[in-house]
Amino acid sequence: MRFAVGIVLIDAPHSALNMLGIDESLADRNVTRVKKLRKGGKSYPYVSPQAWRYWWRKTLAEHFNWELSPLFREQKQVFTAANPIDYPDDDVFGYMRAFKKGNTNITVTRVSPLKNTPLISVLPDRSSVTTDEGYASRHEGDPVPYSQEFYSTVLKGAFSLDLDSVGRFTRIDKAGFKNLLDKDSIKNKELKKEVEEMEKKAEELGVQMNRKEWLMPSNIRKKRASETIKAIRYFLGGAKQTQYLTDVTPKFVILAMFEGGINPFISNVVYDDRGEIKLDNEAIISRILEFKDLLNPKKVFIGKDKSFMREWEDALKKVKEELEKDKIEVVLTTVGDAVEAFAKEVEAYYG
């Protein structure tokens, strides 16, 4: 199993990209908080993983014309069409849907090939969060005070894309692996017709279909996987853009392909040192060498915006020098070029 993995750093110099909402513990209830998590006695602002995935989906629709799966609502549940043949986001982002029609109640689920962390601030809240005191005064009468938090920090997120799972759908009766329904087991006419239409579309596309698995043609799998990677350079989204206008395209990335699903870049390759964000180049070198046998191909792609963390450039050259002594190629370039070159490696995986 081959995985495309990486980390991204998003520079958020004055931002409130994913808010918690009004602080209900205060009597006047007029303070809007940012989301925070606690670690080691400190609090860190973060963007939730589902918010980041929403940005990712939106970017794929905007820049790569992905037709996104429609949403349906039943009582308190919201789910997509659960149709990975027609909708590439159902394929890449996974789903869970309970088909409830008449006496039929069948659930299909798909483990998402794309997994991601939250985007977490490198700096703790005491070094990054500010509270803005404002007043609403465009109405008649006394101004109404309100407060909202925002932060100045760098957000770090990691991801893993299971390349073998993209375009591969199982029909095993197990949570996460019953991706598709079997029309022969369905009595409900409306639901049976829905499954028959999906099967007809699959036949037209040349999907290999057997009792337990469907496999899409390699050109479709290649397109979906590579565009998922290419979307990284174009990320768009985030709350409070009207007031804080944050560019959420990454300013730093490390990308590589590993067998088995590990991501050695998730923890502590960048860290807070008394309010300054530092790069731990020794950690990057040692982790890649530790998993060298799983690195396939022996290439690491590092992209950095020229204006972001200029002081890291010598440390990154050291990473390149040390890894290339062990015959691991390091492509050190801009973020856009690193993402595009990495996407070509992903395409090559599918032949």
Side-chain angles (χ1 to χ4, degrees):
M1 298 176 67
R2 190 83 60 87
F3 291 75
V5 307
I7 65 165
V8 303
L9 299 184
I10 292 173
D11 188 17
H14 37 66
S15 312
L17 294 167
N18 186 212
M19 304 297 281
L20 179 64
I22 297 290
D23 188 342
E24 300 285 348
S25 66
L26 300 178
D28 50 9
R29 299 176 60 188
N30 68 351
V31 179
T32 305
R33 303 288 192 194
V34 300
K35 291 185 176 180
K36 300 170 193 170
L37 62 84
R38 292 192 63 78
K39 179 182 176 183
K42 297 178 181 177
S43 293
Y44 295 81
Y46 74 93
V47 173
S48 69
Q50 62 270 24
W52 189 18
R53 292 172 75 83
Y54 176 76
W55 300 358
W56 213 318
R57 266 192 166 98
K58 190 175 178 182
T59 304
L60 286 161
E62 292 284 339
H63 286 275
F64 299 95
N65 297 317
W66 279 28
E67 182 181 359
L68 300 184
S69 184
L71 293 175
F72 301 92
R73 180 168 183 170
E74 288 186 2
Q75 297 178 343
K76 293 183 178 180
Q77 293 183 325
V78 176
F79 43 81
T80 67
N83 180 345
I85 302 298
D86 285 323
Y87 303 109
D89 61 321
D90 272 349
D91 179 359
V92 172
F93 291 84
Y95 50 79
M96 181 175 73
R97 180 182 178 185
F99 286 90
K100 295 179 181 177
K101 292 184 178 178
N103 295 323
T104 302
N105 186 353
I106 306 171
T107 299
V108 289
T109 57
R110 173 168 172 76
V111 176
S112 172
L114 178 65
K115 300 168 180 63
N116 60 276
T117 67
L119 294 165
I120 302 173
S121 169
V122 178
L123 301 175
D125 65 346
R126 69 186 183 194
S127 302
S128 58
V129 174
T130 299
T131 301
D132 177 58
E133 307 288 346
Y135 292 89
S137 57
R138 296 178 62 188
H139 58 285
E140 292 186 2
D142 296 334
V144 177
Y146 66 94
S147 301
Q148 59 184 8
E149 293 182 334
F150 69 103
Y151 43 76
S152 177
T153 188
V154 169
L155 300 166
K156 188 190 80 171
F159 71 90
S160 173
L161 178 63
D162 181 348
L163 301 179
D164 287 301
S165 291
V166 174
R168 184 188 297 274
F169 315 116
T170 54
R171 298 203 292 186
I172 302 169
D173 193 11
K174 179 182 175 184
F177 295 90
K178 190 172 184 177
N179 302 157
L180 303 169
L181 296 178
D182 179 0
K183 68 178 182 181
D184 295 332
S185 64
I186 303 170
K187 295 181 180 178
N188 181 283
K189 291 182 179 179
E190 187 180 352
L191 182 55
K192 194 179 187 76
K193 183 180 179 183
E194 188 175 329
V195 175
E196 285 175 342
E197 288 175 353
M198 190 191 303
E199 187 171 310
K200 181 181 178 183
K201 180 65 177 293
E203 289 174 350
E204 291 172 356
L205 292 173
V207 175
Q208 298 176 34
M209 295 183 282
N210 60 47
R211 189 171 63 84
K212 289 191 174 181
E213 181 180 280
W214 289 14
L215 184 65
M216 299 200 82
S218 60
N219 63 318
I220 296 177
R221 301 176 72 202
K222 178 189 299 186
K223 182 175 187 295
R224 290 181 177 184
S226 68
E227 288 181 349
T228 300
I229 296 300
K230 288 177 181 177
I232 291 170
R233 66 180 298 193
Y234 300 116
F235 280 148
L236 56 92
K240 298 285 183 183
Q241 292 286 15
T242 303
Q243 293 168 299
Y244 296 104
L245 188 56
T246 303
D247 173 13
V248 297
T249 59
K251 296 297 179 287
F252 181 80
V253 296
I254 304 177
L255 306 163
M257 292 168 67
F258 286 90
E259 304 286 352
I262 64 161
N263 185 333
F265 312 121
I266 288 179
S267 61
N268 299 331
V269 296
V270 292
Y271 61 98
D272 165 42
D273 181 12
R274 291 168 290 184
E276 294 187 13
I277 298 172
K278 300 289 183 66
L279 178 76
D280 192 340
N281 59 330
E282 297 296 335
I284 295 171
I285 294 167
S286 67
R287 288 183 192 171
I288 292 173
L289 291 179
E290 185 173 354
F291 296 106
K292 177 184 174 183
D293 56 327
L294 300 177
L295 181 66
N296 188 9
K298 305 295 185 202
K299 289 183 181 179
V300 177
F301 299 84
I302 300 176
K304 191 180 84 65
D305 184 278
K306 288 291 183 185
S307 65
F308 179 72
M309 301 294 177
R310 294 179 188 276
E311 64 274 22
W312 289 5
E313 292 184 3
D314 288 341
L316 291 171
K317 289 176 183 173
K318 180 74 178 300
V319 171
K320 181 178 174 67
E321 290 171 4
E322 292 299 316
L323 292 179
E324 290 187 344
K325 288 178 183 174
D326 280 85
K327 301 187 184 308
I328 296 173
E329 181 183 352
V330 177
V331 179
L332 189 56
T333 181
T334 63
V335 171
D337 287 349
V339 170
E340 291 295 325
F342 186 57
K344 288 181 180 175
E345 292 293 336
V346 169
E347 291 177 356
Y349 176 71
Y350 295 99

